[in-house]
Amino acid sequence: MKKKTIFLFFLLSAIKLPVEAQQPPSLHTISWEMLKDVTWSRKYMEALSDFFPMPNFGKQIELLDNKPVTIQGFYVPVDMEGTIFALSESPSYTCFFCGVGGIESVMEILVKEGHRDLKRIRTDRYIQVKGIFSINRDNPEHLMYILKDAELVKVVR
C-alpha cells in the first residue's frame, strides 16, 4: 500500500510540472492610486534646451516596469484615425489637463499588433486592458506610463 501511495504521488507530480511550466507570466493588477507614487524634480533636457519637471517613480512602480499588468480606466481615443489611445483614471471631460488630476492619471495605450477591439469602444467607456507596463523616464513626446501590446480584456460599464 505504501509503495502505491509513493508511486501515485510521483505520478501526479510528474503530470503537474509540465502544466505549470506552460503558464504565462502572472498579470499584476495595478491601480491608479498605486501610479500616483511619483515625486518631481526639474532636470535640463538638452533635446528641448530647457528645464522640465521629470518624474521620480516610487519603488512599487519601478518593480512593475516591463511586467504584464491589467488596469481599469476610461477609454479615450486620441487621434481621428483611431490608432492612438489612452486610458484615464477619470472620464475625458475631467481629464488630467483640465486641472482635476495629474499626468500620472493617464496612460498611453499601444495596441498589440492585429488586435482591433479597442477601435470599437466608445469614448469614456470604463474598460479593463492588459499589456506590458512601461515607464517613460525621459521622452517628452509620450506619456510617462505606457501600456505596450495592449489588449482589451472587457468593457466593465
Side-chain angles (χ1 to χ4, degrees), residues 56-118:
N56 302 303
F57 301 99
K59 231 177 215 180
Q60 202 172 14
I61 297 170
E62 290 284 353
L63 290 172
L64 291 170
D65 194 24
N66 294 312
K67 299 277 190 309
V69 302
T70 63
I71 186 168
Q72 293 185 7
F74 292 92
Y75 172 76
V76 182
V78 176
D79 69 338
M80 297 301 286
E81 291 81 36
T83 58
I84 302 172
F85 308 101
L87 192 70
S88 176
E89 178 183 25
S90 306
S92 62
Y93 64 86
T94 60
C95 56
F96 72 94
F97 53 84
C98 302
V100 175
I103 189 71
E104 67 277 1
S105 67
V106 67
M107 181 180 297
E108 187 172 342
I109 304 297
L110 302 178
V111 180
K112 184 175 185 174
E113 190 171 327
H115 188 75
R116 303 204 190 312
D117 289 346
L118 285 168

Side-chain angles (χ1 to χ4, degrees), residues 8-62:
L8 185 60
F9 172 76
F10 283 115
L11 180 64
L12 290 174
S13 296
I15 291 169
K16 188 176 179 187
L17 286 176
V19 172
E20 287 178 355
Q22 295 172 4
Q23 297 297 321
S26 64
L27 288 171
H28 301 276
T29 300
I30 59 175
S31 68
W32 294 105
E33 197 60 37
M34 180 187 304
L35 297 178
K36 292 177 183 175
D37 185 13
V38 179
T39 57
W40 299 90
S41 59
R42 291 183 56 78
K43 294 182 183 168
Y44 185 78
M45 295 193 67
E46 191 149 334
L48 301 172
S49 302
D50 205 350
F51 284 89
F52 285 90
M54 297 301 287
N56 302 303
F57 301 99
K59 231 177 215 180
Q60 202 172 14
I61 297 170
E62 290 284 353

Side-chain angles (χ1 to χ4, degrees), residues 1-10:
M1 179 71 175
K2 190 174 185 179
K3 287 182 182 179
K4 286 183 181 178
T5 305
I6 292 172
F7 174 75
L8 185 60
F9 172 76
F10 283 115

